[in-house]
Amino acid sequence: DAMKRGALDYFAKPFDPEDVMRVVGRSLRSWRLERDNLRLAAELALSRTMVFRSKAMLEVATLVQRVAARDVTILITGESGTGKELVARAVVQASARASAPYVRFNCAALARELAEAELFGHARGAFTGADRARRGLFREADGGTILLDEIGDLDLQVQGALLRVLQEREVRPVGEDHATAIDTRIVAATHRDLDAQVAAGRFRQDLLYRLNVVNIHVPPLRERPADIAPLAHHFCAQFTKRFG
């Protein structure tokens, strides 16, 4: 009955200590094999998009592998140029939504009115220049994943609309009075300190709570010098092939 419930083995009293040691040894080998398989799967998931050898990036890879299939909202943080978008791509490729639409949006690229229409869509005639209706990026990513890059630069009013999307799992296009249900996984990325942004009144605390279900922090290269050599070899091979 114990083994049906998940026990590895059992002992009848009185038991032989050597038998106990054999079972413990077997269970440790099984645990190590499972751990090594997770590590290799994690390395494979992230190595499709990034070059690394350091322990710090292996920890990032392991976290990517663990959360990719769980379909939770992810916040990727790190300085500019550390590879946050590449980590996001690795999450998508290791997830069940790998073959579904993957849409990216730079939150710092557009003014508030245009950002809202770009993300949530708009009706025809909703504003000057809206000569046709638009679905919006969230509906284009329905069934897949949307990456909200530079989320720390998103306008406060659009943040409120995004919070409603996260809470209700539906979008309301600009100029329309009805909402549409969506099934879109959200991955956000930023180089900003969002806690400091919240304290300064530039970012909504309730939105940060909704986005930061799982945080993946990508360390800068100066904190992982073991990656310098493999990156150098990678770029050398890449440019040698490109330029002959």
Side-chain angles (χ1 to χ4, degrees), residues 195-208:
D195 288 322
Q197 293 283 93
V198 168
R202 290 191 291 268
F203 202 85
R204 295 182 61 126
Q205 187 169 22
D206 47 5
L207 177 58
L208 176 57

Side-chain angles (χ1 to χ4, degrees), residues 90-111:
V91 168
V92 173
Q93 291 179 354
S95 74
R97 299 175 184 256
S99 59
Y102 175 43
V103 175
R104 288 161 289 179
F105 176 71
N106 187 337
C107 298
L110 295 176

Side-chain angles (χ1 to χ4, degrees), residues 7-30:
L8 181 72
D9 211 327
Y10 69 94
F11 306 99
K13 294 180 180 179
F15 55 80
D16 185 348
E18 290 187 3
D19 289 339
V20 175
M21 294 302 293
R22 277 194 292 270
V23 171
V24 169
R26 189 165 74 245
S27 66
L28 282 172
R29 286 192 295 273
S30 175

